[in-house]
Every structure is written in C-alpha cells, then in structure tokens.
Amino acid sequence: MSVSDLFKPLTLLHGPAMRNRFMLAPLTSQQSEFDGTASEYDQYWMEQLAQGGYGLIQTSASTVEAGGIAFERQLGIHSDDHLPGLTKIASAIRDGGALSAVQLHHAGHRAKPSIGGIIAPASGKTIEGIKAITTEEVERIRDSFISAAKRAQLAGFDGISVHGAFGWILSEFMSPNLNDRTDKYGGSLENRARFTIEVIEGIRKACGPNFQIGWRLSIERYGLLLEELREVTADIFDRELIDYLDLALWDSAQIVRDGTFKGKTMLSVFTELPRKGVRLGAAGKIMSAQRAGELLDEGCDFVLIARAAILQRDFPLQVKANPMYDSPQLPVMADYLRQGGLSERFIETMRGWQTFVKAGSL
C-alpha cells in the first residue's frame, strides 16, 4: 500500500466520513485555565492543527467532573461554563475541514488532590486510607461522562472519545489488580467491563445516531490482561457500539512478550478480530510517512499522530508533499517548539518528557 492511501476518505458508522486516515491523538498540553476553561493558547493551538490537514482532531483529555482532574490546567467539560471555549474550538476545527471529538476523562485513583482532585478508586486496597467508591458513585461518574458527551454535542463537536487507557478510571475498573469489588462493577470480566459499556451505551442513547463515539484503549501496566481486553473489544466490535477504536500503544510495532499471543505484534492481536463497521487505528512512535503507510498494511484503518504533531503541526500536509517525510529527531530545542507556535505552558509540559526537549534549552 502506498502513502497515497493515507489520503483516501474513511466512512464511519455514525456521522460524516473522515476526509483522510490521519487522526490527531489526544495531547495533554496543560495550557487551559485553572478552572478547566479553554484558554487563548488552547484556541491558537487548535486553530493551527485545524489547518494541518487531519481527518479528525481530538482535544486533550477533558474532565467530566471537577474532582476527576489529573493535571494542572487540564481542559474541562464538566460545566456549562466550559461551553463558550469548547464551541470556539469545535468551530475552528470544522472551519479547517476536519471532524472533531472531545476526549472524555476521569482520573479515578490517579486524581490529584493538590489541584482539587478527589481520589476515586475502584478498590479500597489501591491507595492506603482511601475507600473504594460506592456503586452509587460509580453510577454518578458514569452519568457525568454522558452529560459531558451531551455538552460536546451542544458545543458542535462531531463526537467524543472515551478515555479507557493508562489506568484512568475506566481502565482501572477493567483491571483485576485494581478492581476487587463485589458489586455489579467487579468480579467477572463482564462486570469489570460494565462501567465502560454503560458509558458508551449511555452516550449513544443520549446523543443519538449521528454522533461519533471513539474509545481509547491501552494494554500495558495497571494489571491489565491482553486476553481479557481482546475479549471485551471483540464484543464491542461485534455489537458495533463504537465508531472507532484508538489503540494507545507505546510503540505501534511492539511485540507481545508472554501469554497466549507471545511473539505477535500487539497490534495484530486486535486487527485480526472481525470488526464489522468499526474502524481501528493505532498510536505509538508514528514519526514518518513510511511508518504511517505501513500501519495501513498491518490492518489499521487510520493512524493516530501524537509526538510528530507537536513537532510539526501539519504532519499530514508534510506527508502529502513528501512521501518520504520524517519528523525532526528528538530531543529538540525549546526554541524550535516556540517558533512552531507552542505556548510556554505547553513547552513546560513537554519538558516533563525527558526525551522531548533538550535539557537546559531555554
């Protein structure tokens, strides 16, 4: 398959088609206001990306409850006060010709009390001295995800993506290590997946047939079991509960080290599943035109661009102009990012990734 195939449109089960196979991964920039309101920096960043040639642009992880916060200056969608800023972002993305989605997020046991987070673990054993949330609290958070999706729809987004990765609340509930509950949200795999399924089904019911639903899934750490996640995904595909699966891999080429699928690529474990009308994409070190094209050969319907998008806002346009395009080598000077339009807040966030910004660069 040639790189030109990345520029073919992609239909989705609900709502409009993506104009090409490039999706912007949700990138945490920590440049919003302290109350979660989108800042001028968020707006400018999204305006740049909107002109970058993507098929679909996801926002950074956005809090569905004030207490579910994980990062300082995290974007919020838990209050109607957030609507004006979100509406401007949705409008900028639409004007650039891409589809838009808000990534819905709750930090669960990883919420940060120092910035107003309320730790909400599935189990009483995860964090010493913190009790597991009650069944009623699980249901309240589920309803907060659904309310946030309705807010995204009201703001003019084409859809949402449900953050089910990295040990955040939905991922945490899926893990047998982090979930020892005895209510309907714990125990069997069906029960541990219930929270995620109820969120997805609730959003579909609340937002109707033209609204798009994505789901971000990660497989590593937090006691997550590949075999189990494959089983849950197979069910979600079979019932066509989502429009697209966003596989958040650390490296899109990584190999399974043990268990049933030892020796296979992590990606192939999911691309081999029958997916009916659901689309599948992967993130993970996609830094060149060639790697993006290879992923279509490996069974992906689209690719998610993350670090490469921070380095070059218009990665898809670069690929279109040069099928041999490769991203600049990391780490880069802070000034390189500044000249590319990143805010000081965003650059500060990227300094937290040891391999991204050259140490000592101003």
Side-chain angles (χ1 to χ4, degrees):
M1 199 175 277
S2 70
V3 168
S4 63
D5 289 318
L6 290 161
F7 295 92
K8 289 180 176 171
L10 182 67
T11 56
L12 299 168
L13 281 166
H14 303 88
M18 286 171 62
R19 61 179 166 180
N20 60 38
R21 308 307 177 95
F22 292 97
M23 188 180 292
L24 181 84
L27 301 168
T28 296
S29 56
Q30 293 182 257
Q31 57 183 357
S32 305
E33 304 305 346
F34 286 112
D35 65 356
T37 304
S39 68
E40 61 185 300
Y41 306 109
D42 287 315
Q43 183 66 27
Y44 180 54
W45 167 238
M46 281 295 166
E47 283 170 3
Q48 290 182 75
L49 290 164
Q51 301 303 317
Y54 289 91
L56 191 152
I57 293 175
Q58 291 190 42
T59 68
S60 55
S62 306
T63 51
V64 299
E65 288 191 354
I69 192 168
F71 310 104
E72 194 169 71
R73 294 190 181 276
Q74 186 173 353
L75 188 63
I77 191 167
H78 58 263
S79 160
D80 288 349
D81 293 343
H82 298 138
L83 278 170
L86 290 166
T87 302
K88 279 179 77 175
I89 287 172
S91 178
I93 296 172
R94 187 168 50 250
D95 289 349
L99 303 185
S100 57
V102 178
Q103 190 191 42
L104 304 183
H105 175 260
H106 190 293
H109 81 281
R110 299 182 66 196
K112 272 185 111 165
S114 61
I115 50 171
I118 300 164
I119 298 169
S123 164
K125 293 178 186 166
T126 306
I127 295 176
E128 202 175 331
I130 308 277
K131 288 181 182 169
I133 54 175
T134 64
T135 306
E136 290 71 29
E137 286 170 319
V138 178
E139 290 169 343
R140 185 202 74 225
I141 294 169
R142 173 201 66 199
D143 292 346
S144 295
F145 270 95
I146 297 165
S147 297
K150 287 175 77 172
R151 233 172 248 121
Q153 189 173 36
L154 198 59
F157 285 86
D158 294 294
I160 54 83
S161 177
V162 175
H163 203 333
F166 310 145
W168 306 122
I169 202 160
L170 298 177
S171 170
E172 170 186 353
F173 267 72
M174 206 83 83
S175 165
N177 280 24
L178 296 176
N179 180 352
D180 61 356
R181 304 174 71 87
T182 54
D183 65 357
K184 65 181 178 176
Y185 294 105
S188 67
L189 175 59
E190 183 185 1
N191 281 0
R192 283 181 281 119
R194 189 184 304 279
F195 194 178
T196 298
I197 301 291
E198 286 186 354
V199 164
I200 291 168
E201 289 184 329
I203 290 170
R204 172 60 63 220
K205 190 175 176 188
C207 296
N210 296 318
F211 197 66
Q212 295 169 347
I213 300 175
W215 176 42
R216 176 157 250 214
L217 179 67
S218 65
I219 298 109
E220 297 137 304
R221 300 173 60 201
Y222 304 104
L224 294 165
L225 302 176
L226 176 58
E227 289 80 1
E228 287 193 345
L229 294 175
R230 186 179 194 263
E231 195 178 319
V232 172
T233 302
D235 176 56
I236 286 174
F237 282 170
D238 186 56
R239 292 161 62 196
E240 295 187 322
L241 295 182
I242 57 175
D243 289 275
Y244 57 90
L245 171 66
D246 156 4
L247 272 178
L249 304 175
W250 185 244
D251 183 340
S252 57
Q254 72 201 64
I255 304 294
V256 181
R257 295 201 188 100
D258 46 41
T260 315
F261 303 105
K262 184 179 179 179
K264 298 180 71 146
T265 64
M266 197 82 83
L267 180 60
S268 70
V269 173
F270 292 87
T271 55
E272 286 172 1
L273 291 170
R275 63 186 95 141
K276 292 194 171 172
V278 181
R279 303 305 192 176
L280 183 155
K285 298 187 177 174
I286 305 166
M287 306 296 283
S288 67
Q290 186 184 347
R291 182 64 190 136
E294 283 171 1
L295 282 165
L296 297 190
D297 286 335
E298 290 172 30
C300 286
D301 296 302
F302 62 92
V303 294
L304 287 123
I305 307 303
R307 281 170 281 193
I310 299 171
L311 290 167
Q312 188 69 45
R313 252 64 70 228
D314 59 353
F315 182 85
L317 297 183
Q318 296 291 330
V319 171
K320 196 168 194 175
N322 174 15
M324 300 307 291
Y325 177 77
D326 200 353
S327 297
Q329 289 295 301
L330 289 168
V332 292
M333 301 293 280
D335 218 39
Y336 172 84
L337 298 174
R338 207 170 278 125
Q339 286 164 8
L342 254 66
S343 71
E344 295 304 319
R345 293 178 186 177
F346 200 162
I347 292 169
E348 201 49 45
T349 300
M350 296 320 297
R351 287 186 197 278
W353 293 79
Q354 293 166 341
T355 56
F356 206 94
V357 183
K358 268 190 186 144
S361 69
L362 296 173

